[in-house]
Amino acid sequence: YGIANNNLVDLSSEFDVSKFDNESSRIGVTNEIILGSETAEGWRLYGGISLTNEVYNYSRQDIENSEIEEIGTQSNHIDAQGVTTEVSGPVTIIRTTTYNQSWHRRHQRIAASIGVGKRISLLERLSLMPEVSLQYDINQKSSGYYFSEASNDIEYFTSNESNPYAVNNSIKYRAGVGVDYDLGNVSIGILGTYIYNPNNYLQESIFYKSKSDLISLQFSVSYYPNW
């Protein structure tokens, strides 16, 4: 579950930042394969590959009134003979727009990770499992929408179209703690993690910055071979 965070970078931009508030997070899915080694003292060193699908939603159901100026008929002049002449000039037009939007943006990310953890025995088969790790994004593929300065709104795009999102977001930092139950060569566990992401999802040339830290609940099945 991501924590969406958008902020203006170009302070001279006239983009309506209140539209950032229409974005919220949705539940995503991560699959991860990890290989590692555990010492007799319970220290664990591991590395792995993960495939993550992050999902965010832009939802807007309201009515917006805006004023624009166009050249039109300001008034009509009727002379003594009854001839009507239009007087042109700038006129104010009130435009009313009704919104019923619910669009999703998705980031599919492949990342490599390396980490260290410690098994702390609680009961005969039950252990506490704190860990920390680094994640490096190998590739990111995006689809959905982005905020546009030109339209002062969001613009839709598919994964095959050009877009302002970066193809990777470099390094993230993960910390978590879980509970593991030993069944012999196999164990099952639950792990809660927090991933800190200091990186911008967007290319640096765009007028705003998009970031998201992640929280997750991971269910795991581990196999320990008799080597």
Side-chain angles (χ1 to χ4, degrees):
Y1 185 84
I3 305 170
N5 183 9
N6 300 298
N7 294 288
L8 281 182
V9 175
D10 181 4
L11 299 181
S12 64
S13 172
E14 296 181 358
F15 184 81
D16 182 3
V17 295
S18 66
K19 294 186 177 180
F20 290 152
D21 298 332
N22 296 326
E23 184 174 68
S24 59
S25 300
R26 294 292 183 266
I27 297 296
V29 177
T30 295
N31 297 290
E32 188 173 23
I33 297 176
I34 291 174
L35 296 176
S37 178
E38 183 172 326
T39 69
E41 293 78 24
W43 287 101
R44 309 169 73 217
L45 181 65
Y46 62 86
I49 294 288
S50 63
L51 174 63
T52 298
N53 285 280
E54 292 180 46
V55 183
Y56 302 88
N57 175 256
Y58 183 93
S59 181
R60 185 177 183 187
Q61 287 81 33
D62 65 341
I63 298 175
E64 181 181 77
N65 293 317
S66 58
E67 292 186 357
I68 59 174
E69 281 196 352
E70 292 184 354
I71 299 299
T73 301
Q74 284 187 325
S75 63
N76 292 303
H77 175 70
I78 303 175
D79 61 19
Q81 287 73 38
V83 177
T84 301
T85 304
E86 293 184 351
V87 179
S88 298
V91 295
T92 299
I93 297 174
I94 297 177
R95 176 179 293 166
T96 300
T97 306
T98 301
Y99 289 91
N100 185 18
Q101 288 179 300
S102 183
W103 289 1
H104 291 83
R105 69 175 167 101
R106 295 175 173 86
H107 303 291
Q108 187 179 73
R109 190 174 68 253
I110 299 174
S113 63
I114 185 171
V116 61
K118 180 71 165 68
R119 180 185 297 275
I120 303 172
S121 296
L122 299 177
L123 300 172
E124 182 179 355
R125 292 181 176 270
L126 195 66
S127 300
L128 193 67
M129 307 283 281
E131 65 172 47
V132 292
S133 64
L134 298 178
Q135 292 186 334
Y136 178 77
D137 290 343
I138 300 171
N139 182 265
Q140 178 175 273
K141 191 174 184 180
S142 304
S143 64
Y145 63 84
Y146 59 89
F147 294 95
S148 169
E149 190 174 28
S151 65
N152 197 36
D153 209 336
I154 57 174
E155 298 289 338
Y156 180 80
F157 70 96
T158 66
S159 59
N160 296 321
E161 295 177 313
S162 62
N163 62 83
Y165 291 101
V167 295
N168 64 69
N169 293 121
S170 195
I171 293 178
K172 297 180 175 67
Y173 306 89
R174 184 172 78 170
V177 62
V179 176
D180 193 71
Y181 187 77
D182 183 16
L183 297 173
N185 286 74
V186 176
S187 68
I188 57 175
I190 299 176
L191 175 69
T193 66
Y194 183 88
I195 299 175
Y196 170 64
N197 175 26
N199 309 291
N200 187 2
Y201 279 13
L202 298 152
Q203 300 173 30
E204 295 298 331
S205 58
I206 201 166
F207 71 98
Y208 74 102
K209 177 182 289 187
S210 180
K211 294 176 57 180
S212 180
D213 295 344
L214 301 170
I215 54 175
S216 72
L217 183 64
Q218 178 178 331
F219 300 91
S220 65
V221 178
S222 303
Y223 174 69
Y224 297 86
N226 294 320
W227 291 348

Short mmCIF file of all heavy atoms in Angstrom, two decimals, residues 30-52:
data_model
loop_
_atom_site.label_atom_id
_atom_site.label_comp_id
_atom_site.label_asym_id
_atom_site.label_seq_id
_atom_site.Cartn_x
_atom_site.Cartn_y
_atom_site.Cartn_z
N THR A 30 2.98 -7.74 -4.49
CA THR A 30 4.40 -8.02 -4.73
C THR A 30 4.65 -9.52 -4.61
O THR A 30 4.18 -10.16 -3.67
CB THR A 30 5.29 -7.29 -3.70
OG1 THR A 30 5.17 -5.89 -3.89
CG2 THR A 30 6.75 -7.68 -3.87
N ASN A 31 5.39 -10.05 -5.56
CA ASN A 31 5.88 -11.43 -5.49
C ASN A 31 7.40 -11.38 -5.41
O ASN A 31 8.04 -10.65 -6.16
CB ASN A 31 5.46 -12.22 -6.73
CG ASN A 31 3.95 -12.33 -6.83
OD1 ASN A 31 3.31 -13.03 -6.06
ND2 ASN A 31 3.36 -11.62 -7.80
N GLU A 32 7.96 -12.19 -4.51
CA GLU A 32 9.40 -12.10 -4.25
C GLU A 32 10.00 -13.49 -4.07
O GLU A 32 9.42 -14.34 -3.39
CB GLU A 32 9.64 -11.24 -3.00
CG GLU A 32 11.08 -10.90 -2.73
CD GLU A 32 11.22 -9.91 -1.59
OE1 GLU A 32 10.30 -9.82 -0.76
OE2 GLU A 32 12.25 -9.22 -1.54
N ILE A 33 11.14 -13.70 -4.69
CA ILE A 33 11.91 -14.93 -4.50
C ILE A 33 13.24 -14.56 -3.85
O ILE A 33 13.95 -13.68 -4.33
CB ILE A 33 12.17 -15.64 -5.84
CG1 ILE A 33 10.84 -16.07 -6.48
CG2 ILE A 33 13.07 -16.85 -5.64
CD1 ILE A 33 11.00 -16.70 -7.84
N ILE A 34 13.57 -15.24 -2.74
CA ILE A 34 14.76 -14.91 -1.96
C ILE A 34 15.60 -16.17 -1.76
O ILE A 34 15.07 -17.24 -1.46
CB ILE A 34 14.37 -14.33 -0.58
CG1 ILE A 34 13.73 -12.94 -0.76
CG2 ILE A 34 15.57 -14.24 0.34
CD1 ILE A 34 13.19 -12.39 0.53
N LEU A 35 16.91 -16.02 -1.91
CA LEU A 35 17.87 -17.06 -1.57
C LEU A 35 18.83 -16.50 -0.53
O LEU A 35 19.24 -15.35 -0.62
CB LEU A 35 18.66 -17.51 -2.80
CG LEU A 35 17.86 -18.19 -3.93
CD1 LEU A 35 18.76 -18.47 -5.12
CD2 LEU A 35 17.21 -19.47 -3.43
N GLY A 36 19.16 -17.32 0.48
CA GLY A 36 20.04 -16.80 1.51
C GLY A 36 20.61 -17.90 2.38
O GLY A 36 20.42 -19.09 2.14
N SER A 37 21.32 -17.48 3.39
CA SER A 37 21.97 -18.40 4.32
C SER A 37 21.72 -17.92 5.74
O SER A 37 21.66 -16.72 6.01
CB SER A 37 23.48 -18.45 4.04
OG SER A 37 24.14 -19.30 4.95
N GLU A 38 21.56 -18.88 6.64
CA GLU A 38 21.33 -18.57 8.05
C GLU A 38 22.36 -19.30 8.92
O GLU A 38 22.57 -20.50 8.76
CB GLU A 38 19.91 -18.98 8.46
CG GLU A 38 19.57 -18.63 9.90
CD GLU A 38 18.11 -18.87 10.23
OE1 GLU A 38 17.27 -18.67 9.33
OE2 GLU A 38 17.82 -19.25 11.38
N THR A 39 23.00 -18.55 9.81
CA THR A 39 24.01 -19.15 10.68
C THR A 39 23.35 -19.85 11.86
O THR A 39 22.15 -19.71 12.11
CB THR A 39 24.97 -18.07 11.21
OG1 THR A 39 24.25 -17.21 12.12
CG2 THR A 39 25.54 -17.24 10.07
N ALA A 40 24.15 -20.59 12.62
CA ALA A 40 23.64 -21.28 13.80
C ALA A 40 23.16 -20.29 14.86
O ALA A 40 22.32 -20.62 15.70
CB ALA A 40 24.73 -22.19 14.39
N GLU A 41 23.70 -19.05 14.83
CA GLU A 41 23.28 -18.02 15.79
C GLU A 41 22.02 -17.29 15.35
O GLU A 41 21.54 -16.40 16.05
CB GLU A 41 24.41 -17.02 16.01
CG GLU A 41 25.64 -17.57 16.71
CD GLU A 41 26.51 -18.39 15.76
OE1 GLU A 41 26.41 -18.15 14.53
OE2 GLU A 41 27.26 -19.26 16.24
N GLY A 42 21.50 -17.62 14.17
CA GLY A 42 20.27 -17.01 13.70
C GLY A 42 20.43 -15.82 12.79
O GLY A 42 19.43 -15.23 12.36
N TRP A 43 21.66 -15.44 12.44
CA TRP A 43 21.86 -14.34 11.50
C TRP A 43 21.56 -14.81 10.09
O TRP A 43 21.96 -15.90 9.69
CB TRP A 43 23.29 -13.81 11.58
CG TRP A 43 23.55 -13.01 12.83
CD1 TRP A 43 24.19 -13.43 13.95
CD2 TRP A 43 23.15 -11.66 13.06
NE1 TRP A 43 24.23 -12.42 14.89
CE2 TRP A 43 23.59 -11.33 14.37
CE3 TRP A 43 22.48 -10.70 12.32
CZ2 TRP A 43 23.37 -10.07 14.93
CZ3 TRP A 43 22.25 -9.45 12.87
CH2 TRP A 43 22.70 -9.15 14.16
N ARG A 44 20.87 -13.96 9.33
CA ARG A 44 20.45 -14.33 7.98
C ARG A 44 20.95 -13.28 6.99
O ARG A 44 20.78 -12.08 7.19
CB ARG A 44 18.92 -14.40 7.89
CG ARG A 44 18.31 -15.27 8.97
CD ARG A 44 16.80 -15.10 9.03
NE ARG A 44 16.15 -15.75 7.89
CZ ARG A 44 15.08 -15.28 7.25
NH1 ARG A 44 14.55 -14.12 7.62
NH2 ARG A 44 14.55 -15.94 6.26
N LEU A 45 21.58 -13.75 5.92
CA LEU A 45 22.01 -12.89 4.81
C LEU A 45 21.35 -13.41 3.55
O LEU A 45 21.40 -14.60 3.26
CB LEU A 45 23.54 -12.93 4.67
CG LEU A 45 24.12 -12.04 3.55
CD1 LEU A 45 23.88 -10.57 3.85
CD2 LEU A 45 25.62 -12.32 3.39
N TYR A 46 20.70 -12.50 2.80
CA TYR A 46 19.92 -12.98 1.66
C TYR A 46 19.92 -11.95 0.53
O TYR A 46 20.23 -10.78 0.70
CB TYR A 46 18.48 -13.26 2.08
CG TYR A 46 17.73 -12.06 2.61
CD1 TYR A 46 17.07 -11.19 1.74
CD2 TYR A 46 17.69 -11.77 3.97
CE1 TYR A 46 16.38 -10.08 2.22
CE2 TYR A 46 17.01 -10.67 4.46
CZ TYR A 46 16.37 -9.83 3.57
OH TYR A 46 15.69 -8.73 4.05
N GLY A 47 19.54 -12.43 -0.63
CA GLY A 47 19.33 -11.58 -1.80
C GLY A 47 18.17 -12.13 -2.59
O GLY A 47 17.81 -13.31 -2.47
N GLY A 48 17.55 -11.27 -3.40
CA GLY A 48 16.39 -11.74 -4.13
C GLY A 48 15.95 -10.82 -5.25
O GLY A 48 16.53 -9.76 -5.49
N ILE A 49 14.91 -11.26 -5.94
CA ILE A 49 14.28 -10.52 -7.03
C ILE A 49 12.79 -10.40 -6.72
O ILE A 49 12.16 -11.37 -6.30
CB ILE A 49 14.47 -11.23 -8.38
CG1 ILE A 49 15.95 -11.24 -8.78
CG2 ILE A 49 13.64 -10.57 -9.47
CD1 ILE A 49 16.48 -9.88 -9.21
N SER A 50 12.23 -9.20 -6.95
CA SER A 50 10.81 -9.00 -6.68
C SER A 50 10.13 -8.35 -7.88
O SER A 50 10.75 -7.60 -8.64
CB SER A 50 10.60 -8.14 -5.43
OG SER A 50 11.15 -6.84 -5.62
N LEU A 51 8.85 -8.65 -8.04
CA LEU A 51 8.00 -8.02 -9.03
C LEU A 51 6.86 -7.34 -8.28
O LEU A 51 6.06 -8.01 -7.62
CB LEU A 51 7.45 -9.04 -10.02
CG LEU A 51 6.42 -8.52 -11.04
CD1 LEU A 51 7.04 -7.45 -11.93
CD2 LEU A 51 5.85 -9.65 -11.87
N THR A 52 6.79 -6.02 -8.37
CA THR A 52 5.81 -5.24 -7.60
C THR A 52 4.87 -4.51 -8.54
O THR A 52 5.29 -3.93 -9.54
CB THR A 52 6.53 -4.22 -6.70
OG1 THR A 52 7.36 -4.90 -5.78
CG2 THR A 52 5.53 -3.37 -5.92
#
